Structures are given as C-alpha cells and as structure tokens.
Amino acid sequence: MSASTPFPFAIDARGPLRGALTVPGDKSISHRSLMFAGLAVGESRIEGLLEGEDVLATAAAMRAMGATVERHDDGAWHVWGVGVGGLLQPETALEMGNSGTSTRLLMGLIASHGITATFTGDASLSKRPMGRVIDPLSRMGAEFTSSPGGRLPLTMRGLNPAVPIDYTLPVASAQVKSAVLLAGLNAPGITRVIEPIATRDHSERMLTGFGAELSVEDSPQGRVISIRGEAELKPQQITVPGDPSSAAFWMVAASIVPGSDVTIANVGLNPTRTGIITALRMMGADIAEIDRRVVGGEPVADLRVRHAPLSAIQVPADLAPSMIDEYPALFVAAAFADGRTIARGADELRVKESDRIAAMAAALSNNGVAIEEFEDGLAITGSAGKPIAGGGAVASKLDHRIAMSMVVAGLGARAPVRIDDAAPVATSYPSFFTTLDQLTGRDEPA
C-alpha cells in the first residue's frame, strides 16, 4: 500500500481482539539511528528498524549525502557513515514525503555543514511550519529560502564552521531540540538547549551512545542539554524497541472491545513516551508490564492489555509532551468511557501532519460522539462502554494517526466507519491492517 494511492476503508465491529503481536520499531529512534550512524566513522548495524515510508525517506536522504545504507537479507540494516563534517552536497532535492521528523532533524544536520540542500514533501508536509527550526539554525549561521510561512519547498545553505548558541525552546518540541543539538555536533564549542518542559530524550540517549560529549543538567529554567561540537561518533550495534505510538492503537482497541486480550511484545517504555499508558490507566485500563528490561539503552517490556470499563478523566496537561502523538488514540478511548473526558494543553496537535484536534473532532462527531472543541484540545462525552453509532465519513487529512485511530473507533461502532483514505498508514505502520486481521481472526480486510 503506497501513501500516494488513495485507499478507502470501511470498518465496524469485529468482536474481540486476541493474541500476541509485535509493533514496528520506534519511529523516533529509527530516524535517529540512521542519521547518527550516517555521521559515525565505520559500520553500524541496526535491528528492528521501522521500514515505513517516513524512515525510508531518512535513509534515502542519508544516501544522497554520502552515507552507505543497506538492508541485508536478515532484516538488519547496515550503515557506513561519512563522519561528522563529511556530509556531501546532494545532487537532487531531498524528498521527505510526509515526514516532519526527517525534515527538521536533517535541517539540523545540514546547518553546520558547508552544503546546500532543497527539501520537498507531500501536500500534508508542505503545510507544516518549519519556522521553529529555521529560527535557531539561522542564529547558528544557516541561510534559508522557504515557501511563504516558512514551509516547504525549502532550500537551505549550511555554514561550516557554524556558531554554537544557547537556545531556550519556545515550545515543547523534541524535533526542534534535536535539530539544534545535531547542528551543534559540527559547531566548534558548546551548543546548549534549554527546555522548560521536558520532551522525549531519544537524541540525548543515542548521541551519548555514539560517543558524543553531551551532558544534561537541571536548572531553574529547565533541563539544560549541552553538546560539544566537532564530535567524533563511533559506530554502534542498535536494537530498535517497538514504537509505543503504534502500540497505543492496540492498547485502546483491546480496552474498548469486550473480550479482548492482547500481548504487545518489546514496547519501548522510555519515560518521556509513556504518557498514553499513564492516561489509559487513569481511565481504568488493564495494562500489565511483563519482563521489564533494557534493550539498546532504552527500557522495554511486553504489555498485556485486557478489556476493561473506562471512566472519563481530566487529562493532566503535563502529560502532553510524553503522549503528543497518541492523543488521537486517547480521544477514541474517551469516546467509549463513562462520562466526559477533558483533554487540554495540547496546542501542538494543531500543527502535526494535520490539525489533529479539528480532524478528530470532525471524525468522532460524524460517527455519533458528542464533542466540544477547544483551541488546545477536546472534551468528549463517552458511550459508557456501549457501541458508538458509526455510519459516518472520516477525512484522514493525509494523516496516518487519524486513519488508524478511526479504524480503532470502528471496532466499537454499530454501523461502518468510512475512512476516505487509509493509505497514509504506510508512513509509520505498513503491517497495521494485516495485524488487525490477525487479532480479529480475519484473513482479509473488511
């Protein structure tokens, strides 16, 4: 299934989900493993890489800038890096598809290299703002020519040597933080990022593993992450844990469909990513952690999730950074809870692959769920465990998480939920529909 070919999909109740499954490798870690390996000197080996279209866009970009990136028959990826400072001028534009992570982090890499690159993307990505990355990277010496509003297509020229800076994040964004740190890899001196609100820390963990001189300290202003430039990264053996964002769909599906009992293997439980588990447990979800362990520097466990009645909550706003990508799935859980769930403090949802607040408000409302929309979130009156009406149309807005979330909603609907285009699911979870069929005992999609 290609994200460029529309794939209409209709779904209604299928009965309980049962069985064991694995989810694709963590998308955030997959992107970073390719980039950092591409800057190391020598051969790195990556197991469990997410082979969705977003990550493949990162692989193609690193190849275009000189790294050798190969997938071997055993499923492992091997990367021979060019060294920090060794990126080559790409001969053609870097096509990012739907991947905002690829775009923003690669902009950081290029900012401190003396090369020029043009970024292009699909219609959804071309609407997303890049100004939040352009601003700090411009302070480091990079130059940008972008489409109106700081959007793609965009051409940038890096500066070598770049200027190290101290930068306080104006919004909680792991992508912006990472972009500045990656630019700092090849900038002489110390580059510092101050984040008043902590965000996912995959970049810090992995850069340290690759040998970068990086420190994290607490201060009255927030977490201060410092990186010493002109680094020399060493090749690594990496095992990518399962993506908690992908696992979230099955956690919600098993929670809302009576009789469900699923075990999701090897899920990453980085504390900056577990907000969805915290929120679902607050609602009464039955989520057990089995065999907690550390894989590749990241905590993981197998998660057993069984159906349980859910109750409405007021979602703590301070959970937002640790579950920003999982809000669409949480909104679906709220649609089946007993009472009125209020989820606010998630302004960032307005500028993801789609305006996820508006898209989910429309999708759930069209399928019989009572919604109140705020600028920074939603209030959702749930069905107290009963099926929702369904029967409505869903505009996925070229957003994989909207499509998958509403597939989950359809599992508890009386009438089919009709999604206009589920093809974007391939950007992050190519095997989603196969897994759905396996868990619900069907050989073919409905």
Side-chain angles (χ1 to χ4, degrees), residues 200-202 205 268-275 292 298-299 322:
R200 59 184 64 176
D201 64 353
H202 301 307
R205 288 173 182 256
L269 295 182
N270 183 301
T272 64
R273 299 288 302 282
T274 55
R292 273 194 76 111
E298 293 277 349
S322 64

Side-chain angles (χ1 to χ4, degrees), residues 213-253:
E213 189 176 329
L214 183 145
S215 65
V216 180
E217 300 175 348
D218 291 324
S219 77
Q221 291 73 42
R223 292 174 76 241
V224 181
I225 305 102
S226 304
I227 191 166
R228 181 175 295 279
E230 299 181 317
E232 182 174 334
L233 302 188
K234 300 173 183 178
Q236 298 295 307
Q237 305 286 317
I238 300 168
T239 300
V240 180
D243 196 330
S245 297
S246 297
F249 301 110
W250 307 122
M251 285 189 260
V252 172

Side-chain angles (χ1 to χ4, degrees), residues 101-143:
T101 302
S102 302
T103 306
R104 293 183 175 124
L105 268 61
L106 288 168
M107 287 167 64
L109 285 185
I110 292 169
S112 56
H113 287 73
I115 61 177
T116 298
T118 297
F119 291 88
T120 59
D122 68 10
S124 172
L125 182 60
S126 297
K127 295 177 182 177
R128 298 181 68 181
M130 298 296 157
R132 59 180 57 178
V133 178
I134 291 173
D135 176 50
L137 298 183
S138 295
R139 298 187 196 183
M140 299 182 77
E143 298 179 355

Side-chain angles (χ1 to χ4, degrees), residues 15-205:
L17 293 83
R18 293 186 178 131
L21 67 139
T22 58
V23 292
D26 186 284
K27 187 149 73 88
S28 296
I29 295 174
S30 293
H31 282 301
R32 288 162 173 80
S33 65
L34 288 171
M35 292 182 196
F36 302 166
L39 290 178
V41 178
E43 178 185 358
S44 295
R45 186 175 188 271
I46 307 167
E47 294 183 352
L49 189 84
L50 168 61
E51 296 181 3
E53 293 177 358
D54 282 10
V55 175
L56 296 181
T58 293
M62 295 308 296
R63 287 191 193 101
M65 292 187 288
T68 299
V69 183
E70 297 177 352
R71 184 188 190 279
H72 288 192
D73 291 341
D74 62 358
W77 288 70
H78 295 251
V79 181
W80 289 263
V82 295
V84 173
L87 293 179
L88 304 179
Q89 175 90 33
E91 295 181 0
T92 60
L94 301 177
E95 172 53 55
M96 296 290 97
N98 189 240
S99 183
T101 302
S102 302
T103 306
R104 293 183 175 124
L105 268 61
L106 288 168
M107 287 167 64
L109 285 185
I110 292 169
S112 56
H113 287 73
I115 61 177
T116 298
T118 297
F119 291 88
T120 59
D122 68 10
S124 172
L125 182 60
S126 297
K127 295 177 182 177
R128 298 181 68 181
M130 298 296 157
R132 59 180 57 178
V133 178
I134 291 173
D135 176 50
L137 298 183
S138 295
R139 298 187 196 183
M140 299 182 77
E143 298 179 355
F144 296 86
T145 302
S146 67
S147 298
R151 291 173 165 82
L152 304 190
L154 173 154
T155 298
M156 67 175 294
R157 177 178 297 156
L159 177 67
N160 186 11
V163 180
I165 61 171
D166 290 0
Y167 187 71
T168 300
L169 293 178
V171 295
S173 172
Q175 292 180 1
V176 177
K177 171 180 67 176
S178 298
V180 176
L181 293 175
L182 297 188
L185 275 175
N186 199 40
I190 303 294
T191 295
R192 295 182 182 86
V193 177
I194 300 95
E195 52 174 9
I197 300 174
T199 65
R200 59 184 64 176
D201 64 353
H202 301 307
S203 291
E204 296 95 304
R205 288 173 182 256

Side-chain angles (χ1 to χ4, degrees), residues 234-418:
K234 300 173 183 178
Q236 298 295 307
Q237 305 286 317
I238 300 168
T239 300
V240 180
D243 196 330
S245 297
S246 297
F249 301 110
W250 307 122
M251 285 189 260
V252 172
S255 296
I256 66 174
V257 178
S260 294
D261 185 347
V262 303
T263 298
I264 314 167
N266 200 46
V267 179
L269 295 182
N270 183 301
T272 64
R273 299 288 302 282
T274 55
I276 183 64
I277 297 175
T278 300
L280 288 174
R281 283 175 170 160
M282 289 174 66
M283 299 174 78
D286 182 354
I287 304 172
E289 297 174 16
I290 302 169
D291 188 21
R292 273 194 76 111
R293 54 205 184 272
V294 175
V295 175
E298 293 277 349
V300 304
D302 304 332
L303 301 180
R304 185 179 182 187
V305 189
R306 289 174 281 191
H307 170 257
L310 302 181
S311 299
I313 62 169
Q314 183 153 331
V315 182
D318 60 6
L319 283 182
S322 64
M323 59 177 285
I324 197 67
D325 285 332
E326 291 77 63
Y327 270 97
L330 182 71
F331 293 155
V332 172
F336 291 86
D338 183 7
R340 187 171 185 259
T341 294
I342 300 174
R344 304 195 64 171
D347 316 62
E348 185 73 6
L349 294 177
R350 295 283 187 187
V351 292
K352 302 296 281 184
E353 282 85 334
S354 67
D355 178 340
R356 286 179 173 162
I357 293 174
M360 286 302 295
L364 290 170
S365 179
N366 288 351
N367 285 279
V369 181
I371 300 291
E372 182 179 357
E373 182 176 341
F374 308 109
E375 184 58 35
D376 61 347
L378 296 176
I380 301 169
T381 301
S383 68
K386 298 177 182 178
I388 62 173
V394 173
S396 69
K397 304 291 185 180
L398 298 176
D399 190 327
H400 54 131
R401 300 203 194 280
I402 302 301
M404 286 185 281
S405 295
M406 291 311 297
V407 168
V408 172
L411 292 172
R414 289 193 298 270
V417 172
R418 300 186 305 277

